Structures are given as C-alpha cells and as structure tokens.
Amino acid sequence: MRSSGDGTAGGASGRGLGDSGPYPLHSSAADHVQRPKVVPRDGEVASEEIGYRGPTACAAAGITYRQLDYWARTALVEPSVRPAHGSGTQRLYSFRDVVVLKIVKRFLDTGVSLQNIRTTVQHLKERGSCDLERMTLMSDGATVYECSSPDEVHALLQGGQGIFGIAVGVVWRDVRSALSQLHGERVDTGETLVGANPADELARRRNRAV
C-alpha cells in the first residue's frame, strides 16, 4: 500500500506499517508509470467518450457547484474532458473525474488535510480503472493510505487509532448508478445523451448503425 503524509500511522515511519505494506501514498518517479487502458467489451462504450457538465457532476458526486468551481480553479480536481475557456463554455467532466470528486468530498468531510488530498488525487490519476475498482483508501487524519488487500486494511486497524476508509469500488458503482439517471454528452459531437445510462444509449445507437 502507498500513502500521503508522514507515514506515522500505527507508530510506524517511512514506508508505513512494515515491509509488506500498507505503504503511504507519495510522489516518486516509481509512481509515474504508464498503465494500459481498459479495453471495453463488445457492446460497451469507453467512458472516455462521454462527458458530464458541471451540474450533472455535482449531482452525482454530492457536492455544490461552488465546491466544483473552486476545486477546478485551484486545480484540485480539474475537468479532464474540457476545461472552461472564458464565459460561454461549459466544463466537461469524465466519469473518473466524478469518482474523484466524490472521494475528495468524503475526505474533506472527515478532516483530511488539503495537502494530503492533493497527493491522493494525483495518485488516483495515475492508476488504471481496474486498479481503482480494487482499491481501498484509508486515513488516520494525518496520512492517506492505499490498501490493496484485506491484510493491509487489518494492519492499519491494528494501530488502535481512528481510521476512516473509502472503498473506491463502492464509490465507482455509486457514481455509475447516479450518472445512469442523468444526462451525458458525447465528447466527439456534443450530442446530449438523455437519461438511462448514457454509455448504454451510445452503444445502442452504434449497434443500429452497423
């Protein structure tokens, strides 16, 4: 496991709680690894092809538009599909962006420092979709840890102090469920995909065109 912060949870230092993990999130050259993109199965549409406007992202992530705007302007969570360029343009967030927005909201609500949240956001950007769905993020307030196994979660809990955890896969599914009831937008044409699951609707249109 990796983490942000000083790695002092449970009385350990350096890499965290022992040589076998969990490890504090940190920014090092080893973390900046290009990971393969997930290839969608037949009939599916890559989430990168669908974007979500600010109000939709707010509704799915459970945040206010003021928070969304502030986080974008301070580069905490920026829209990866389309940033706003002056008045008249709409920010467009990807599905992964919305997942990160929801995670940031939860960490802020539990008092995790902004510095550690920024490190965590950067770490999430560098991980593949499959990695995110299996990941558990935990924090003692001073440090954010990534746990990839039940043993690593158990190691943190043995420290005795209060630990807050986020199962990223659960957040992933919650956001997918929320967005399935909202509107998306095709990245290539700007066409609005109405209701249901925008990815499913786009897949159906493609299949009819074949």
Side-chain angles (χ1 to χ4, degrees):
M1 164 182 186
R2 303 181 185 278
S3 86
S4 66
D6 55 13
T8 57
S13 62
R15 297 182 70 189
L17 302 176
D19 293 336
S20 61
Y23 306 133
L25 298 179
H26 61 281
S27 297
S28 69
D31 290 331
H32 296 271
V33 178
Q34 291 295 324
R35 299 176 181 271
K37 292 184 178 180
V38 177
V39 178
R41 297 187 292 271
D42 292 342
E44 290 186 338
V45 178
S47 60
E48 291 82 2
E49 297 183 38
I50 303 171
Y52 301 94
R53 294 193 175 191
T56 300
C58 289
I63 62 175
T64 67
Y65 193 86
R66 183 175 181 179
Q67 287 175 308
L68 183 84
D69 182 62
Y70 180 72
W71 296 349
R73 288 188 288 106
T74 58
L76 177 61
V77 184
E78 298 177 282
S80 62
V81 177
R82 186 175 66 213
H85 296 292
S87 60
T89 60
Q90 291 279 347
R91 297 187 184 106
L92 209 58
Y93 290 81
S94 70
F95 171 79
R96 282 175 60 108
D97 294 338
V98 181
V99 171
V100 173
L101 287 168
K102 193 174 184 71
I103 290 172
V104 168
K105 171 66 161 54
R106 290 191 176 182
F107 273 136
L108 285 173
D109 287 347
T110 58
V112 176
S113 72
L114 187 58
Q115 179 181 355
N116 283 341
I117 291 175
R118 285 188 181 277
T119 302
T120 302
V121 168
Q122 182 59 38
H123 183 73
L124 293 173
K125 288 180 181 178
E126 296 163 359
R127 305 304 297 270
S129 296
C130 289
D131 293 330
L132 291 182
E133 291 189 84
R134 293 191 296 263
M135 183 188 301
T136 298
L137 295 172
M138 304 191 72
S139 176
D140 58 2
T143 306
V144 178
Y145 293 83
E146 174 200 333
C147 295
S148 57
S149 72
D151 288 342
E152 291 179 351
V153 173
H154 181 66
L156 278 177
L157 294 177
Q158 282 185 319
Q161 72 275 38
I163 294 289
F164 170 76
I166 297 176
V168 179
V170 174
V171 176
W172 189 280
R173 291 189 290 275
D174 287 347
V175 170
R176 184 180 296 279
S177 176
L179 289 175
S180 72
Q181 307 302 317
L182 301 169
H183 297 349
E185 183 175 312
R186 286 191 60 152
V187 174
D188 54 353
T189 65
E191 176 188 6
T192 298
L193 301 173
V194 181
N197 188 321
D200 291 342
E201 182 176 340
L202 186 51
R204 287 194 295 270
R205 295 183 187 186
R206 282 185 168 180
N207 290 335
R208 288 198 298 267
V210 174

